[in-house]
Amino acid sequence: MTRQPAFQLKRTETIESLGIDVQEYVHSRTGALHYHIAADNQENVFLVAFRTVPEDNCGVAHILEHTALCGSAKYPVRDPFFMMSRRSLNTFMNAFTSSDWTAYPFASQNRKDYFNLLDVYLDATFFSRLDPLDFAQEGHRIEFSEPDNTDSPLVYKGVVYNEMKGAMSSPVSTLWQTLTRHLFPSTTYHYNSGGDPEAIPDLTYEQLLHFYKTHYHPSNAVFMTFGDIPVEELQQRIEDQALVNFDKLSDEITVEDEKRYFSPIKVEEAYALDEDDCSAKTHHVLAWLLGPSIDLEQQLKAHLLSRVLLDNSSSPLRYALESTDLGASPSPLCGLEDSNREMALMCGIEGSEPENAVEFEQLVLDTLANVAENGVPQEHLEAALHQLELSQREISGDGYPYGMSLILASLSSAIHRGDPIALLNLDPVLAKLREAIKDPDFIPAMVRELLDNPHRVRLTLRPDAKLAERRDAAEAAKLEAIRQQLDDTQKQAIIDQAKALEQRQNQVDDESVLPKVTITDVPAKMHIPQGSENLFKGFHYHFYPQGTNGLVYQQVIMDLPALSEAERQMLPLYSNCLTELGCDGMSYQDTQALQSQVCGGIHAYSSVRADINNEQQVSGYLTLSGKALLDKQSQLTDLMYKTLATVRFDELSRIRELVSQQRTRKEQSVTGQGHSLAIMAAVSQLSPAGQLAHNLRGLQSIRAIKTLDEALRDEANLKQLAADLQQLHQKMLSAPRRFLIVTEAEHQQQLAESMAARWPSVDNKGEFEALSLPSTREAVQQAWTTSTQVNFCAKAYPTVPVEHPDAAALTVLGDFLRNGFLHRVVREQGGAYGGGAGQDSADAVFRFFSYRDPRLTETLDDFDASIAWVLNSELEPQQLEEAILGIVSSIDKPGSPAGEAKQAYHSALFGRTPEQREGFRQRILTVTLDDLKRVAGDYFKPELASVAVVTSPTAAAGLNDQFDIIAI
């Protein structure tokens, strides 16, 4: 194709290490930037981002991100974004609001689907309708708590309002927002771009419109694309569908450099914690504002400094924070923040007391002074560079699509008018740094500069058990004052708006205006990597040839033996200890230093799943997993062997630290993962694997780790735990072993020789009793209480395992219920940030859930109402096709080359062979509307329902006495 004339090519660069060509274009008339990453990859990615710089805490950028997706000029339907999510074979669809940009990305492997989504995204962003009722739904509104009773109290509603209430229930989110408020006293980062729930109701519709007109313009936009579709074709569509309608804006949106402090500041603030005992719940953080993030050399030097100081337990600052008695564990806010215009380096502790602030600061400064004077071992610097190189080379794609990962890694630089192409091609700067670190004063000089930097903030965030109560009272008083000022006309306007919004939410739009794919566009077959079972000089292993860009992935997989209940409860801690303790006579610090020099990390995890025909019958495995660059593969093999064979369970103080760290991580997970935790609780007595998951990863595990952490204050209990871990380890050493290798085909022989020479065969001729779990199939009715402003609801029903004929229909029914009923009722009308339903064939259960939900029993009632809707309504074939497309899209979603191979291998271990997975996918494609009605009637019996919610103590007190109330 000929070049699109509206775009001017500025430069092109080949990055051989990633197998991509990157081109930079500018749109001649508007100044819009376009970066295209040409790759031999059919998962094409699109992203358009706008510089969005809020000047208050009203959340205008975040609310606009939501509202822009609620209808546009070409697609005047109420919810094109969610409608397209179910009329598509996308592998990714979302929208993000960051601190200074808002982005709209998607990915698809289907060319027709890609251009469908491109048209909708371009229209949504550049020609949004921004209906006032959508602003009320997504942003905020006030309603009477009893809709037609003007004497009833007023309440705030809105999806973003409730989302941010949930987000700011997290102490870590509060910590971050408080820190940036003081670290950035005058620029946009001073404000919460997501919106502070106390300020969100101050945003007006007119302010939203003004922000849209000034920020959502091509002159303020960055386009980024990835894949094998020719760039000329993409630019022609972008020009025709959007840019041709615009001229250049005269104003340029930028973020200025922050005004610098002349001396460090010290701040103490409070966060809400609804607990009787607030001891050991204080956070301390020390943060420095550094230089510009778009200076690549400065950025990589800062990354190097952060890694050397904080990467692992052999890093001096990390070790000081882990081993101090001033707090329970290092803060989640440890490391470099490089996405803003100016970078920040931070470190901290949690589980502390307010009075420890001065000692904490002195500990950090003394540790840094020691590094400035004595430096760090040269191998630590080389290891940090090695980690940067490894992360640069690895082909990701298991979380985000690979192309999306590349785009997001370089987006911030593009937003700040830096050089995103240089960020993708780190090799030249890494080579420069390799020379620079030969100077023994390299790190000491950087640390001295840090110590001399006066723009430093010490933040102490202490718990306040009454803060939430005072906040709620202030909100109620504010709403009551508003109500008292209302005249009859204003009261009626509130009632009218609520009715108009409900009517709009219930209206049936003409979806035919939207483009779509159909079942005929679905690929005939799944893509599942094929591996082989091999024997080399008595060494059995599985090999998957995948394009891994010079990385090697190794796994040792052991069958889980029969374990007592106490031993099963230890599995997460044991898995963590296996790679976090010392080995081969080395301390844990020296072992972690060696890990950093040799590989991209070694970790262990246990997995337990039910049989494909019987949820009561389980099997389980412990996996030791590592990855390395090819030239380090023999060292990785050696280290993995030593990790398993010679781990030290005599490092008692380290075991104590790991328990404490696990506790803080688990306690912080509730507000972010509340829906998953509620689902696990609802399923906890319905299947053996579900019960184990609840005990090891769910809400019960939080209670268990708290109890264990308290018990370990007694030295005798700590010694007993170490002995129990050692005993469990001995059981694992005698279990049958399997080996998995994933890398390029030409390296197979080299890897096999290396591993065969290191790993002795295990004598499994003796008796081995495999793991089994006690049967269970009972319902629960539980309310788990914690410090939260929102709720998470779950309801589950016993159904069937994956090979049962009804499993496919139940799987489709989950998407059908979400698309046709739950999204509208739970999210749009109920105000929850999210909600849905789905079949989990592994545990043979069907689950309903809501996320960051202002309601509780009403949502549980809506779950029941959705069942009645399926049973009693005339169901549409179009809705069935959309549900099937959604399921097939999730089944076919690609991962990284290594991730796909590992998934194929582990799925087959549990009986999910390629043939089984392909057969299930084919059954999905043949589900009928009659099947949906039949399974809904057969399995959703009210008396079988199992319910669990995560809520506040106050809300739990209002539940009926059938609920068991359990404090987390």
Side-chain angles (χ1 to χ4, degrees):
M1 288 183 70
T2 55
R3 182 171 296 160
Q4 215 294 325
F7 287 85
Q8 180 185 350
L9 177 65
K10 305 291 284 184
R11 61 176 169 149
T12 184
E13 186 170 327
T14 298
I15 304 177
E16 291 182 5
S17 63
L18 300 179
I20 57 175
D21 291 310
V22 191
Q23 295 135 23
E24 178 185 0
Y25 296 88
V26 65
H27 187 252
S28 302
R29 195 171 58 262
T30 65
L33 294 173
H34 178 206
Y35 294 93
H36 178 66
I37 304 172
D40 184 18
N41 191 322
Q42 67 176 15
E43 188 178 24
N44 285 273
V45 179
F46 169 87
L47 175 145
V48 60
F50 303 95
R51 300 171 184 91
T52 49
V53 287
E55 296 176 357
D56 56 37
N57 288 315
C58 292
V60 60
H62 188 189
I63 292 170
L64 179 55
E65 172 226 308
H66 279 242
T67 314
L69 297 172
C70 291
S72 61
K74 188 174 174 185
Y75 305 109
V77 290
R78 187 170 48 83
D79 199 352
F81 178 79
F82 282 100
M83 286 179 179
M84 283 305 295
S85 72
R86 54 192 190 240
R87 300 166 67 85
S88 160
L89 288 168
N90 73 85
T91 55
F92 186 87
M93 266 184 83
N94 213 330
F96 308 129
T97 302
S98 187
S99 54
D100 56 9
W101 52 259
T102 303
Y104 297 84
F106 69 81
S108 181
Q109 297 182 98
N110 181 288
R111 182 186 168 88
K112 173 183 172 184
D113 187 42
Y114 182 91
F115 283 108
N116 287 350
L117 290 167
L118 180 60
D119 287 355
V120 173
Y121 266 63
L122 289 172
D123 212 57
T125 49
F126 291 105
F127 309 104
S128 184
R129 284 193 309 175
L130 300 182
D131 190 290
L133 287 175
D134 294 327
F135 170 63
Q137 172 186 286
E138 297 296 319
H140 69 86
R141 63 189 185 276
I142 53 174
E143 291 185 6
F144 291 103
S145 55
E146 299 172 27
D148 294 319
N149 181 3
T150 58
D151 293 326
S152 65
L154 289 171
V155 292
Y156 286 125
K157 292 188 175 183
V159 172
V160 170
Y161 176 76
N162 287 315
E163 177 191 350
M164 295 311 297
K165 269 203 161 186
M168 298 314 294
S169 292
S170 160
V172 177
S173 296
T174 304
L175 183 68
W176 170 248
Q177 293 297 339
T178 309
L179 179 64
T180 52
R181 190 167 74 243
H182 294 288
L183 198 60
F184 297 96
S186 64
T187 58
T188 189
Y189 311 117
H190 183 76
Y191 305 104
N192 184 342
S193 62
D196 186 324
E198 292 182 35
I200 286 172
D202 297 333
L203 179 68
T204 67
Y205 175 66
E206 289 69 31
Q207 288 171 327
L208 183 89
L209 287 179
H210 177 73
F211 196 87
Y212 176 71
K213 288 170 183 172
T214 53
H215 288 73
Y216 279 43
H217 188 282
S219 301
N220 189 42
V222 176
F223 294 90
M224 302 186 92
T225 50
F226 168 94
D228 62 2
I229 295 176
V231 65
E232 301 83 3
E233 206 173 334
L234 296 171
Q235 290 177 344
Q236 189 65 54
R237 188 69 69 101
I238 293 169
E239 169 71 4
D240 292 346
Q241 299 294 334
L243 303 191
V244 70
N245 297 286
F246 292 91
D247 294 312
K248 188 162 187 166
L249 274 183
S250 54
D251 294 334
E252 186 175 273
I253 293 173
T254 58
V255 178
E256 300 300 322
D257 287 341
E258 185 52 79
K259 297 182 176 115
R260 296 288 171 144
Y261 292 140
F262 295 110
S263 62
I265 67 167
K266 300 168 176 59
V267 181
E268 181 175 319
E269 293 200 17
Y271 72 95
L273 185 68
D274 193 2
E275 292 183 14
D276 295 332
D277 181 9
C278 287
S279 61
K281 293 284 168 53
T282 291
H283 298 254
H284 299 291
V285 177
L286 206 60
W288 291 263
L289 191 62
L290 306 180
S293 60
I294 59 173
D295 183 328
L296 182 58
E297 195 170 332
Q298 268 206 57
Q299 189 194 117
L300 282 189
K301 280 183 177 178
H303 272 291
L304 202 59
L305 178 65
S306 175
R307 283 186 178 275
V308 166
L309 293 175
L310 289 161
D311 205 31
N312 57 59
S313 298
S314 69
S315 310
L317 190 49
R318 178 86 188 181
Y319 176 69
L321 299 173
E322 282 184 342
S323 56
T324 181
D325 292 331
L326 296 172
S329 60
S331 170
L333 269 57
C334 279
L336 183 74
E337 166 52 53
D338 66 351
S339 65
N340 294 335
R341 178 176 170 80
E342 293 171 288
M343 298 176 289
L345 183 71
M346 58 201 72
C347 65
I349 56 173
E350 57 190 359
S352 185
E353 300 293 350
E355 58 269 22
N356 292 341
V358 173
E359 281 186 84
F360 154 72
E361 183 174 20
Q362 199 58 50
L363 171 71
V364 173
L365 297 178
D366 288 348
T367 303
L368 292 174
N370 184 49
V371 173
E373 186 175 342
N374 301 311
V376 294
Q378 184 65 19
E379 58 265 25
H380 286 200
L381 272 168
E382 290 167 359
L385 263 184
H386 167 245
Q387 292 299 319
L388 284 172
E389 182 188 358
L390 199 147
S391 61
Q392 154 82 351
R393 290 190 70 90
E394 183 170 25
I395 300 175
S396 60
D398 294 320
Y400 291 120
Y402 176 53
M404 190 73 71
S405 298
L406 293 178
I407 284 172
L408 291 175
S410 52
L411 175 60
S412 184
S413 181
I415 287 292
H416 297 121
R417 300 179 175 87
D419 185 357
I421 297 179
L423 257 177
L424 293 174
N425 189 15
L426 297 183
D427 288 345
V429 187
L430 288 174
K432 207 170 172 182
L433 282 177
R434 237 173 236 111
E435 288 302 309
I437 65 171
K438 291 176 181 176
D439 178 359
D441 197 45
F442 179 77
I443 287 294
M446 290 177 72
V447 173
R448 287 195 295 273
E449 193 178 324
L450 193 65
L451 288 168
D452 292 340
N453 180 352
H455 197 111
R456 186 176 87 219
V457 175
R458 187 191 81 201
L459 171 63
T460 296
L461 195 67
R462 56 178 168 76
D464 185 335
K466 298 295 182 186
L467 180 58
E469 191 179 310
R470 294 196 300 273
R471 199 177 273 155
D472 290 346
E475 180 182 291
K478 179 182 177 182
L479 285 165
E480 180 57 21
I482 293 172
R483 194 183 71 82
Q484 295 288 354
Q485 296 291 323
L486 297 174
D487 58 30
D488 289 344
T489 304
Q490 291 168 320
K491 289 176 183 177
Q492 190 59 46
I494 291 172
I495 291 173
D496 291 345
Q497 185 195 49
K499 286 181 177 174
L501 180 56
E502 184 179 11
Q503 185 178 357
R504 179 170 168 75
Q505 289 164 339
N506 287 324
Q507 79 184 32
V508 178
D509 286 320
D510 178 13
E511 295 190 15
S512 66
V513 300
L514 289 166
K516 68 172 185 173
V517 293
T518 66
I519 298 292
T520 59
D521 295 300
V522 172
K525 294 280 185 183
M526 294 174 69
H527 169 69
I528 302 175
Q530 296 296 311
S532 59
E533 192 170 352
N534 302 273
L535 179 64
F536 177 81
K537 294 183 179 178
F539 176 70
H540 287 269
Y541 68 98
H542 279 80
F543 182 79
Y544 281 77
Q546 292 285 91
T548 59
N549 201 26
L551 267 74
V552 172
Y553 299 82
Q554 296 183 19
Q555 289 189 342
V556 186
I557 303 101
M558 291 151 277
D559 292 30
L560 281 178
L563 299 172
S564 68
E565 187 176 345
E567 287 172 326
R568 294 196 297 268
Q569 193 64 46
M570 277 196 296
L571 279 172
L573 178 61
Y574 168 72
S575 303
N576 195 24
C577 286
L578 199 55
T579 56
E580 292 286 336
L581 295 175
C583 70
D584 198 30
M586 297 184 293
S587 69
Y588 71 90
Q589 298 102 306
D590 290 341
T591 299
Q592 291 204 358
L594 183 59
Q595 286 180 6
S596 191
Q597 291 161 35
V598 166
C599 63
I602 297 177
H603 68 282
Y605 62 92
S606 61
S607 49
V608 175
R609 293 183 76 178
D611 182 83
I612 58 175
N613 291 298
N614 182 1
E615 81 284 347
Q616 299 297 319
Q617 194 174 320
V618 302
S619 55
Y621 301 91
L622 181 83
T623 301
L624 182 66
S625 187
K627 63 185 176 187
L629 295 169
L630 184 64
D631 61 358
K632 304 264 189 187
Q633 60 86 14
S634 62
Q635 293 161 276
L636 171 65
T637 300
D638 190 54
L639 182 54
M640 288 183 68
Y641 171 75
K642 288 175 178 175
T643 297
L644 189 62
T646 65
V647 61
R648 295 178 55 185
F649 289 104
D650 60 346
E651 293 183 302
L652 298 184
S653 61
R654 177 59 171 167
I655 293 173
R656 179 79 181 86
E657 283 172 18
L658 292 173
V659 171
S660 183
Q661 290 173 24
Q662 272 199 355
R663 174 180 178 170
T664 52
R665 276 198 302 271
K666 282 181 176 291
E667 286 179 327
Q668 288 161 4
S669 70
V670 178
T671 50
Q673 302 172 22
H675 62 308
S676 300
L677 296 169
I679 288 169
M680 277 193 267
V683 175
S684 62
Q685 299 299 319
L686 286 174
S687 78
Q691 186 175 54
L692 187 68
H694 177 62
N695 289 339
L696 302 192
R697 304 194 310 273
L699 293 165
Q700 187 57 42
S701 74
I702 302 175
R703 287 165 59 88
I705 200 76
K706 281 183 179 180
T707 303
L708 177 61
D709 190 37
E710 298 297 327
L712 294 188
R713 293 178 180 177
D714 185 332
E715 185 77 10
N717 290 335
L718 181 56
K719 288 179 179 176
Q720 185 58 53
L721 175 63
D724 292 342
L725 288 166
Q726 180 67 55
Q727 187 177 358
L728 175 56
H729 184 58
Q730 290 306 125
K731 282 191 175 185
M732 293 310 311
L733 288 178
S734 61
R737 272 178 214 162
R738 298 166 168 82
F739 297 89
L740 173 65
I741 304 171
V742 183
T743 191
E744 278 97 355
E746 60 266 29
H747 307 312
Q748 178 177 354
Q749 183 75 10
Q750 181 184 353
L751 266 289
E753 288 177 5
S754 172
M755 292 184 74
R758 197 66 184 96
W759 286 97
S761 59
V762 178
D763 181 11
N764 297 131
K765 292 175 184 173
E767 289 293 317
F768 175 77
E769 187 183 352
L771 177 78
S772 63
L773 296 174
S775 296
T776 181
R777 200 70 165 160
E778 297 175 4
V780 300
Q781 193 104 337
Q782 297 174 343
W784 293 75
T785 62
T786 188
S787 184
T788 177
Q789 299 180 66
V790 289
N791 308 301
F792 305 88
C793 305
K795 181 178 280 195
Y797 294 87
T799 56
V800 294
V802 68
E803 282 299 271
H804 190 284
D806 288 342
L810 285 160
T811 302
V812 173
L813 181 58
D815 270 33
F816 194 92
L817 287 168
R818 184 197 64 201
N819 297 346
F821 190 91
L822 293 170
H823 175 75
R824 172 172 51 84
V825 174
V826 174
R827 187 184 189 277
E828 294 180 348
Q829 296 175 355
Y833 183 47
Q839 161 76 358
D840 177 4
S841 294
D843 287 327
V845 292
F846 190 97
R847 309 92 46 92
F848 294 85
F849 69 92
S850 71
Y851 179 64
R852 291 182 180 168
D853 191 343
R855 306 182 307 156
L856 203 56
T857 55
E858 302 93 332
T859 295
L860 296 174
D861 290 342
D862 284 338
F863 295 158
D864 297 338
S866 73
I867 299 167
W869 170 76
V870 165
L871 292 173
N872 301 322
S873 301
E874 189 71 35
L875 306 181
E876 296 292 331
Q878 172 64 31
Q879 293 174 311
L880 173 65
E881 183 174 63
E882 290 173 355
I884 290 173
L885 285 172
I887 297 298
V888 171
S889 177
S890 64
I891 289 174
D892 289 354
K893 184 178 179 180
S896 68
E900 287 185 348
K902 287 186 279 189
Q903 183 193 19
Y905 175 78
H906 285 272
S907 294
L909 268 187
F910 287 107
R912 281 79 174 170
T913 62
E915 296 75 22
Q916 185 276 332
R917 291 165 65 189
E918 189 69 65
F920 180 73
R921 182 179 182 270
Q922 291 304 317
R923 292 198 294 277
I924 292 289
L925 293 169
T926 61
V927 169
T928 67
L929 289 172
D930 288 341
D931 291 334
L932 299 189
K933 282 187 178 283
R934 177 178 54 76
V935 295
D938 287 350
Y939 294 102
F940 299 155
K941 308 291 187 187
E943 66 274 13
L944 299 178
S946 187
V947 178
V949 299
V950 176
T951 187
S952 66
T954 305
L959 295 170
N960 65 48
D961 56 12
Q962 293 178 339
F963 277 84
D964 294 325
I965 297 178
I966 308 164
I968 298 171

